[in-house]
Amino acid sequence: MIPVARPVLGEEEAAAAAAAVRSGWVAQGPRVKAFETAFAARVGAGHGVATSSCTTALHLALLLIGIEPGDEVVVPSLSFIATANVVRYCGATPVFADVDAATMNVTAKTVARVLTPRTRAVIAVDQGGVPVDLAALDGLGLPVIEDAACAIGSTYRGRPVGVTAKLTAWSFHPRKLLTTGEGGMLTTSHLGWAVRARRLREHGMSVSAADRHATGSTVLETYDEIGFNYRMTDVQAAIGLVQLTRLAEIVARRRALAQRYQRLLDGTVTTVADPPHGETNYQSFWILLDQNAAIGRDALLALLAADGISARRGIMAAHLEPAYAGCGAKLPATERLTRDSLILPLYHEMTEAEQDRVVEALTRYL
Ligand SMILES: *Cc1c(COP(=O)(O)O)cnc(C)c1O
């Protein structure tokens, strides 16, 4: 079976995790701090706050900008459902914007269409790794949170994704390029936000458990606001530190394989590509079937599976799920993309022979 994805994990990650275990400190501690520093430096952000997931990082980002019940936050429906759910965690309402068909991302135009007097913020997603045009969204005059769950190693206008956003959320789930098993990060240019996010992720504590331990003397913490347990562990951070050293190689390999897919599928089907304003890490190599294709997407997935090729449906659309029934959104581009797109296998150790098998099967069925 050719898998759709496979994380890059080796002996170095195993040794780093073992060293964290042997150190006797496995909860959030010095390795989390080191990972935050190294990660923020890699994406050119001022501060990194490690979290238990991208979902929890997004929740913290919304709290930092003061999202409350009654507020509206514009999000793409065409995204993993967490992008919408975090708005509901704040008691606010996600309002779904359509996307541009070439990038699968929201644009200033699609967001502007759904603004109301209650709109307080936008969550812009770098879908599948394709960088969203953030500068265009800045013109709307609203706080923009970047959901860069998929976009570690992608670039925007020649610089790493994450440099320009005030608040960026990242995921280290194994389906993403860089993994810590589960895990996430919030990066920000604003020191005050980083300090408050660190407090909120650890029960609202004035001094973290790790810092109290490090002082060696008695420090009594206070709990200044209602917080959460959104911590990452030192075992995860140890793995993340090794993964960061592999990132450049992982992105280069994915881009080479993606460009080979593009060459081999040219003229057969529409594929994801770099947008004019940046470069994708090709976290998701999606193809879009013609609306009058001889074969539907789900039938094609079944045929590929029978051939030992594990492809996946394209990005989901939250507004079509029962959890958001009744939201009333009408999003033609989103509905077409979620219906007719699929994600092809692409992973670091994929061989050209495996890729040829995928292309051969696809060409035969299309
Ligand atoms: C994967 C993903 C998330 C959720 O990430 P977790 O770390 O699993 O919480 C959120 N948004 C997008 C766009 C994603 O792809």
Side-chain angles (χ1 to χ4, degrees):
M1 197 80 185
I2 295 179
V4 69
R6 187 190 288 152
V8 191
L9 290 166
E11 287 308 313
E12 293 90 338
E13 282 84 353
V21 170
R22 291 196 184 99
S23 78
W25 190 278
V26 289
Q28 177 185 288
R31 286 175 172 83
V32 167
K33 193 166 274 181
F35 183 42
E36 289 177 338
T37 305
F39 188 89
R42 173 61 183 76
V43 302
H47 313 277
V49 180
T51 54
S52 51
S53 68
C54 179
T55 305
T56 55
L58 284 169
H59 184 198
L60 293 182
L62 289 170
L63 294 173
L64 292 174
I65 58 172
I67 299 303
E68 293 178 347
D71 292 342
E72 292 180 356
V73 177
V74 177
V75 303
S77 167
L78 193 82
S79 183
F80 183 59
I81 198 162
T83 309
N85 286 349
V86 292
V87 178
R88 295 289 289 270
Y89 297 173
C90 300
T93 305
V95 174
F96 294 119
D98 211 354
V99 293
D100 167 59
T103 62
M104 291 204 181
N105 288 330
V106 297
T107 66
K109 230 190 198 155
T110 66
V111 172
R113 245 181 258 147
V114 296
L115 296 180
T116 79
R118 293 200 297 161
T119 311
R120 292 284 312 279
V122 179
I123 302 180
V125 177
D126 304 300
Q127 194 48 256
V130 176
V132 62
D133 191 358
L134 271 187
L137 295 174
D138 275 343
L140 298 167
L142 286 161
V144 178
I145 295 166
E146 186 172 15
D147 179 347
C150 306
I152 177 67
S154 298
T155 62
Y156 177 58
R157 300 191 174 178
R159 298 158 78 201
V161 160
V163 169
T164 50
K166 293 191 181 78
L167 288 162
T168 311
W170 309 85
S171 174
F172 309 128
H173 183 274
R175 274 293 290 273
K176 323 295 183 184
L177 258 66
L178 186 158
T179 186
T180 60
E182 293 277 359
M185 185 82 71
L186 181 66
T187 57
T188 177
S189 51
H190 189 318
L191 175 62
W193 277 344
V195 169
R196 181 151 179 245
R198 290 200 176 101
R199 197 165 65 216
L200 283 170
R201 80 166 163 198
E202 196 171 12
H203 306 289
M205 247 180 244
S206 60
V207 189
S208 78
D211 286 350
R212 273 183 284 132
H213 175 79
T215 63
S217 60
T218 308
V219 181
L220 297 181
E221 78 282 12
T222 58
Y223 297 83
D224 301 331
E225 60 182 325
I226 304 295
F228 306 87
N229 180 353
Y230 284 173
R231 286 174 299 212
M232 176 183 277
T233 70
D234 258 26
V235 181
Q236 292 169 294
I239 296 169
L241 280 164
V242 177
Q243 288 268 291
L244 263 184
T245 67
R246 299 190 195 274
L247 182 62
E249 190 202 334
I250 292 173
V251 173
R253 177 65 184 155
R254 293 190 80 86
R255 286 187 57 81
L257 285 167
Q259 282 156 8
R260 192 163 180 275
Y261 261 142
Q262 287 164 342
R263 259 196 328 276
L264 296 172
L265 292 170
D266 188 35
T268 306
V269 73
T270 304
T271 73
V272 57
D274 284 328
H277 52 260
E279 287 190 346
T280 168
N281 61 11
Y282 288 106
Q283 187 206 273
S284 298
F285 192 87
W286 55 258
I287 61 172
L288 182 64
L289 303 184
D290 201 87
Q291 267 167 305
N292 342 300
I295 184 168
R297 193 269 315 271
D298 295 348
L300 179 58
L301 285 176
L303 286 169
L304 291 171
D307 274 356
I309 296 166
S310 180
R312 287 285 184 276
R313 70 167 179 171
I315 311 303
M316 65 174 297
H319 79 288
L320 301 178
E321 292 298 321
Y324 288 97
C327 71
K330 286 196 189 60
L331 309 167
T334 296
E335 285 161 25
R336 153 119 169 89
L337 292 167
T338 199
R339 186 185 62 232
D340 296 333
S341 65
L342 61 148
I343 293 170
L344 298 185
L346 183 60
Y347 44 92
H348 191 68
E349 274 134 16
M350 188 178 208
T351 63
E352 294 195 349
E354 286 169 328
Q355 198 176 29
D356 289 342
R357 250 183 75 199
V358 177
V359 170
E360 184 279 320
L362 203 58
T363 312
R364 185 154 35 89
Y365 293 130
L366 288 175

